[in-house]
Amino acid sequence: MTKKSFLKNMNYLRGFAILNIIIVHIWTIPTLYVENDSIYQKIINVTREILFHDSSIYFIFISGFFLKYLSFASPLKYYKTKFKNILLPYIVLSSTIFIFNIYIGEINFSLLTFFRYIFLGEAQVQYWYIPFIVTIFLISPMLLKTPNKTLLLTLPILLILPLIGTRTGTIISLGQYVYFFPIYILGILCAANYDRFIILIDEHFLLLIAAIIISTGLIVIVMLFDPKFLFFNLYESFHYIQKIAILLFFIVFFKRIDHIDINILNVFAKYSFALFFVHFFINDLLNKLLMEKYYDIFFTSTFLIIPISIFYSLISISLSLLFCVCMKKVLGYNSRYIIGV
């Protein structure tokens, strides 16, 4: 790879991205308590969805950005890196979860189930992203050879397509690629024209803030009234606009404060893929061992439900990070083949 300068703002963005992805998956209260006070679950669900749904957009943009910024010398080296750091730990962890789920009786042994775990990312709710992004990795060397002018000419059309709201949740489909692939191209072009890109966003900073506010308001309206417009999925459409605006906002915001060392974001950036792989499992384990057994102790007052759910999420995130750090200490360099770091 061509040696490039370290971009603190993009590293901060990576840490910010993984925190958003973790929160959207784990911020909740035990399901046993929902039956008694579902209003609190609704408040958490609505807040979580408005703020954190579609955070995969950040990760996909970062993948496209660093594909171009790091400029891999050869496709073979690129594929080798992605296999070792992403695909191999994904296969190892998906297989481990498959065996574990058989052991606890959650599933029966089935080759079809195993193939769905590996090829459709069904081992954990967030694992859909890996088989999805791997197919994009396959064509990435070709994208690197495509002239920037060509990509730039196609970008406006590509960026309009996700406005249809084609995202299909965690199911890999053609609509999923229509929704996310343009963001990957945007990341490539931003890296290719980084200085101009920063200046352009900086000049329209207030417009970005307005876009975030307006799109957030539209999301709330859709959640309340569920309006229909032809075949458009307005919920995903407005989230797309909101998350793109937030993404661009934080790129410039982190650039403005990159003289400040935000060590916590650096740590989360370093362990981002490892956290991506393990956070849901750690949270699920914590929930089964602690919260669902002792939820009456934790939730003695309805007034405390929301603050305790936030505190619990912080504990879960901290334990996930601690697990990744410990795995790195114990396994050393080989940990990248197990958890991706």
Side-chain angles (χ1 to χ4, degrees):
M1 295 179 291
T2 305
K3 186 69 174 177
K4 294 289 184 70
S5 59
F6 179 74
L7 300 177
K8 287 180 69 174
N9 62 324
M10 297 306 296
N11 200 54
Y12 291 162
L13 183 67
R14 197 200 299 268
F16 170 79
I18 191 58
L19 280 170
N20 279 258
I21 289 170
I22 293 174
I23 292 170
V24 79
H25 291 149
I26 70 167
W27 184 24
T28 184
I29 60 176
T31 53
L32 291 173
Y33 206 82
V34 174
E35 298 174 4
N36 298 325
D37 294 277
S38 59
I39 183 63
Y40 295 99
Q41 183 68 59
K42 288 177 181 177
I43 292 171
I44 292 172
N45 284 345
V46 168
T47 306
R48 185 187 64 234
E49 289 298 298
I50 289 172
L51 296 179
F52 304 109
H53 175 72
D54 245 3
S55 295
S56 300
I57 283 176
Y58 308 144
F59 242 30
I60 290 171
F61 174 90
I62 291 167
S63 291
F65 183 92
F66 281 109
L67 167 74
K68 184 68 176 182
Y69 191 76
L70 297 178
S71 300
F72 282 80
S74 70
L76 184 61
K77 187 171 184 179
Y78 173 77
Y79 291 139
K80 185 178 178 181
T81 300
K82 295 302 180 185
F83 176 78
K84 288 194 303 182
N85 297 343
I86 297 175
L87 188 56
L88 183 58
Y90 165 74
I91 293 171
V92 169
L93 290 169
S94 294
S95 301
T96 302
I97 293 169
F98 177 73
I99 295 168
F100 178 78
N101 285 342
I102 292 173
Y103 176 75
I104 64 174
E106 188 167 313
I107 61 171
N108 296 318
F109 177 81
S110 165
L111 284 178
L112 178 60
T113 302
F114 179 71
F115 288 145
R116 292 183 70 88
Y117 271 35
I118 299 299
F119 294 104
L120 297 179
E122 294 185 358
Q124 299 253 273
V125 66
Q126 77 278 23
Y127 276 19
W128 70 270
Y129 180 79
I130 303 301
F132 168 82
I133 199 67
V134 163
T135 58
I136 294 179
F137 288 158
L138 289 174
I139 64 168
S140 291
M142 182 182 69
L143 293 174
L144 280 179
K145 292 182 178 180
T146 304
N148 288 337
K149 187 176 181 180
T150 302
L151 292 177
L152 197 57
L153 288 172
T154 60
L155 185 64
I157 298 172
L158 290 175
L159 287 177
I160 289 172
L161 294 177
L163 291 174
I164 302 171
T166 61
R167 181 174 181 180
T168 52
T170 59
I171 299 171
I172 299 174
S173 64
L174 178 61
Q176 203 84 313
Y177 288 93
V178 172
Y179 191 84
F180 287 114
F181 184 66
I183 301 158
Y184 191 75
I185 300 298
L186 178 64
I188 292 173
L189 285 170
C190 290
N193 307 276
Y194 178 71
D195 292 334
R196 290 170 58 192
F197 168 70
I198 292 295
I199 292 171
L200 183 65
I201 300 176
D202 203 32
E203 289 175 347
H204 297 85
F205 201 65
L206 292 178
L207 185 61
L208 281 177
I209 296 173
I212 293 170
I213 295 171
I214 293 170
S215 59
T216 301
L218 291 171
I219 291 169
V220 173
I221 291 171
V222 170
M223 294 180 81
L224 290 174
F225 302 106
D226 192 24
K228 305 295 181 183
F229 181 69
L230 301 175
F231 53 84
F232 287 71
N233 183 337
L234 294 177
Y235 182 70
E236 297 295 354
S237 301
F238 295 144
H239 265 292
Y240 166 77
I241 295 171
Q242 183 209 43
K243 292 306 184 294
I244 290 291
I246 291 173
L247 167 72
L248 299 178
F249 171 89
F250 274 102
I251 289 174
V252 171
F253 174 75
F254 287 141
K255 178 68 175 175
R256 289 181 175 183
I257 65 168
D258 68 2
H259 59 283
I260 303 172
D261 288 327
I262 310 177
N263 291 326
I264 189 64
L265 285 181
N266 284 327
V267 172
F268 276 99
K270 177 181 178 180
Y271 289 94
S272 57
F273 259 108
L275 286 164
F276 173 85
F277 282 130
V278 308
H279 74 268
F280 194 84
F281 177 77
I282 297 295
N283 185 73
D284 195 42
L285 198 61
L286 182 64
N287 198 24
K288 284 182 170 60
L289 294 177
L290 182 65
M291 281 308 237
E292 289 188 358
K293 284 188 176 182
Y294 305 108
Y295 73 95
D296 279 328
I297 297 174
F298 289 108
F299 298 116
T300 54
S301 169
T302 54
F303 176 74
L304 296 175
I305 290 176
I306 293 178
I308 286 179
S309 73
I310 295 172
F311 181 66
Y312 168 75
S313 297
L314 292 173
I315 292 174
S316 181
I317 293 170
S318 300
L319 288 176
S320 295
L321 181 59
L322 180 62
F323 175 81
C324 294
V325 171
C326 290
M327 287 288 286
K328 181 69 175 175
K329 291 287 185 183
V330 172
L331 299 175
Y333 183 82
N334 292 325
S335 67
R336 69 180 59 247
Y337 306 129
I338 308 298
I339 60 170
V341 66

